[in-house]
Amino acid sequence: MPVKGLGAYDDQNIFARILRGEIPCRKVFEDQFALAFHDINPQAPVHVLVIPRHRSISFADFTANASQAEIAGFFRAVGAVARELGLEAPGYRLLANMGEDSGQEVPHFHVHLFGGQPLGPMLARPAG
Ligand code: 5GP
């Protein structure tokens, strides 16, 4: 179910539990700022999620409330993950859902990293 509104950070959300090691993940990268792992329901041949260690509900929360070091460290980590996965030459797509209209489901900020094939149009056309 998409996240409705932006309440307080929920320490029991699935990505918080993955960060604490309570739930397994197929890890591809970690450093002091970020953890990256394969999406459980991939939408492309490569579909990796990169999440900050900072307790942020969303992109809006992260960019408003994380420190400069956490923000810079996180986005450097996203770049490092793409590089380490060999995606720079063929290219890749980054996507972050934010709030209800986007369909964000997990209330811990995350960036989707897609690659491994030509990715087609950026957005599906609305029906009608
Ligand atoms: P959102 O819609 O919030 O932007 O994306 C959430 C993503 O998290 C979805 O692509 C979904 O497949 C993925 N996901 C949800 N639960 C888990 C999980 O337990 N493990 C992993 N690896 N991915 C998950």
Side-chain angles (χ1 to χ4, degrees):
M1 287 288 288
V3 173
K4 289 217 185 285
L6 293 174
Y9 184 83
D10 174 10
D11 276 310
Q12 294 308 314
N13 81 73
I14 198 91
F15 293 170
R17 299 189 66 196
I18 286 174
L19 276 169
R20 292 196 297 268
E22 295 169 8
I23 292 178
C25 69
R26 288 177 55 216
K27 189 185 302 181
V28 297
F29 177 96
E30 69 177 327
D31 68 9
Q32 72 183 107
F33 296 110
L35 172 68
F37 51 91
H38 291 279
D39 196 290
I40 205 167
N41 182 25
Q43 307 292 314
V46 177
H47 183 176
V48 164
L49 300 168
V50 192
I51 70 176
R53 294 194 185 279
H54 187 266
R55 295 164 74 257
S56 294
I57 296 170
S58 67
F59 178 77
D61 185 16
F62 184 64
T63 51
N65 297 312
S67 70
Q68 304 284 59
E70 286 162 332
I71 292 170
F74 173 74
F75 283 103
R76 281 192 195 283
V78 176
V81 171
R83 198 159 50 244
E84 290 186 9
L85 290 172
L87 294 175
E88 281 190 357
Y92 56 90
R93 179 173 293 157
L94 301 177
L95 181 150
N97 289 315
M98 156 54 218
E100 195 172 345
D101 275 2
S102 73
Q104 180 180 352
E105 291 187 351
V106 179
H108 181 110
F109 171 49
H110 50 282
V111 168
H112 296 256
L113 173 54
F114 300 105
Q117 68 179 25
L119 295 166
M122 191 162 57
L123 292 174
R125 291 191 184 282

